[in-house]
Amino acid sequence: MLLFAFSSFLLASVLTLDVNATPLASPPSGRVIPINRSFRRHKPVHTAHSSTLPLFDPEPFTRECQGLKRKYFNVSNNLPISSGVDGLDIVTVDDAEAPFIPPVVIAPNSLPLKDYIYENLDLLYYGLADLGTPGQSFSIDIDSGSADLWIPVNCSECEGKQFEDTKSSTCKNSHRDFSVSYGSGEVSGTLMQDVVSMAGFEIRDQFFGAVCEVSDDFRGLPNDGLLGMAFSTIAQSGEPTFFENLMENNMLPAPMFSVHLARNQESGSEVCFGCMDRMKTLGPVKWVPVCSKTYWSVSMDAVGVNTTALVDKKMVGIIDTGTTLVYMPDVVVSEFYSMISGSKPAPEYGPEFFTYPCSTTLDIQLSFGGNSFSMSSLDFNLGTTAPNSPDCVGGILSLGSDEGFPSNLAIIGDAFLKSCA
Ligand SMILES: *[C@@H]1O[C@H](CO)[C@@H](O)[C@H](O)[C@H]1NC(C)=O
Ligand SMILES: *[C@@H]1O[C@H](CO)[C@@H](O)[C@H](O)[C@H]1NC(C)=O
Ligand SMILES: *[C@@H]1O[C@H](CO)[C@@H](O)[C@H](O)[C@H]1NC(C)=O
Ligand SMILES: CC(=O)N[C@H]1CO[C@H](CO)[C@@H](O)[C@@H]1O
């Protein structure tokens, strides 16, 4: 079931998720998300000076915390995890035994993504999609943590661009209700079908939610709609995703997609359908098996500060490009911060938050299948609690088991996925 190995701790490269749950002998033909983890030539040590750091703004994150409860409310029914039980056993093999080698395909299938930067924070990544005949163009959030596509139609309270279904000659209304909850809000409307194209790929009769109601949380964001890249087993529509249709129609050079997320740069991020951009990686590909074909879920075994202190706990991590920060079970997170002297809970922002001394040197490691990847302090540090305060808010947040989150669930968002030490 899985392939994954770090040949060297100093040459972390690509975190790859392999969905194929077959024995090692057979080649994994499944879908993968290689994530550019880049490399580090030396320890990713970053000493921050509070005077130069931005002030922490809790607003987008308290909102994200609330939203995660909705987005993941059904997670224990969809993943092999449960409260109070340890995660899955992990098998690791090294690269030599990993037979799936993604081809190097660059530009043609890659869709540039824009980074929505809000007060120095990378809040979401979105790209362009065309819908209908003739095509109408929309900005779409790329979300690996959900599995539906939606666009506003006749939405009186929506702020962005809306699809005019009456102007498309190929649009079909299924007259089925559609609704879905996300980290950043809720949407509802009708399920429709039309031509969707992205990155030069076109799918006819792609199902999408024509949403006429969108919760407050979606307002003020630059994207018009959202594309779920997880498995349709968790799609509220129950219909194949855009990516699954690309696979089904044999349109992809390889059964995979990859994302590259840049830090604090409006351009430069991308999603590659059926390809990975080798220019964005260095060193061998590391593989982690996907635990279940629902979310892009992988076994996680540790989170650590420096190389010595580790919280050793088996978790299931969901790779979620639609979530900004990193979330782990409350017991893990309090143990994690207890390894950083001077850190403390920050209930003034919510039970999820902790602060730590801004001046502390941190080398944060998240381990998947026994292999560590680092998270840069630049991505961990969310800013100071007050002007000139010595305390900064950390980007690893706590998921409360009393809020109904399984005690071994981790949600791995952009703060880690974009991070290169
Ligand atoms: C919750 O998950 C189960 C198992 O996949 C599924 O049958 C059910 O429809 C889901 N409920 C909702 C409201 O999504
Ligand atoms: C949107 O509004 C137009 C004009 O009122 C209507 O013809 C169309 O059916 C509506 N579309 C949806 C999906 O409700
Ligand atoms: C991590 O190691 C550095 C030295 O390499 C040290 O200065 C720092 O205090 C350590 N941080 C923690 C949280 O252990
Ligand atoms: C976000 C990130 O880490 N990008 C890196 C991906 O790999 C290329 C090539 O090594 C680096 O230049 C990028 O910085």
Side-chain angles (χ1 to χ4, degrees), residues 30-150:
R31 291 150 266 198
V32 293
I33 305 182
I35 290 163
N36 182 13
R37 300 292 301 125
S38 193
F39 60 95
R40 56 204 185 97
R41 297 186 197 284
H42 45 74
K43 276 190 174 287
V45 166
H46 166 74
T47 307
H49 297 289
S50 52
S51 56
T52 64
L53 288 165
L55 194 59
F56 173 65
D57 175 359
E59 201 275 325
F61 304 119
T62 48
R63 195 163 74 168
E64 179 163 278
C65 291
Q66 288 308 311
L68 283 184
K69 287 173 202 157
R70 293 192 298 261
K71 183 171 184 176
Y72 287 101
F73 78 98
N74 204 15
V75 67
S76 14
N77 287 329
N78 288 316
L79 275 185
I81 51 180
S82 60
S83 249
V85 177
D86 264 0
L88 307 164
D89 285 335
I90 299 157
V91 188
T92 59
V93 296
D94 59 39
D95 259 5
E97 294 169 74
F100 181 77
I101 311 286
V104 182
V105 187
I106 310 182
N109 311 333
S110 114
L111 176 74
L113 297 179
K114 263 190 158 178
D115 178 359
Y116 173 48
I117 303 167
Y118 171 86
E119 294 173 2
N120 295 325
L121 302 161
D122 304 300
L123 282 199
L124 66 90
Y125 295 87
Y126 61 100
L128 288 180
D130 271 8
L131 188 62
T133 313
Q136 302 172 36
S137 180
F138 300 93
S139 294
I140 305 289
D141 184 5
I142 302 294
D143 180 17
S144 67
S146 67
D148 288 281
L149 168 66
W150 60 261

Side-chain angles (χ1 to χ4, degrees), residues 347-366:
E348 61 273 32
Y349 304 122
E352 299 87 357
F353 295 85
F354 284 75
T355 62
Y356 70 101
C358 306
S359 59
T360 298
T361 309
L362 293 176
D363 177 6
I364 296 166
Q365 304 286 326
L366 269 57

Side-chain angles (χ1 to χ4, degrees), residues 305-306 339-340 360-362:
V305 181
N306 290 355
M339 298 186 296
I340 306 172
T360 298
T361 309
L362 293 176

Side-chain angles (χ1 to χ4, degrees), residues 153-154 165-166 173 192 210:
V153 180
N154 295 346
D165 56 328
T166 50
N173 193 335
M192 300 184 95

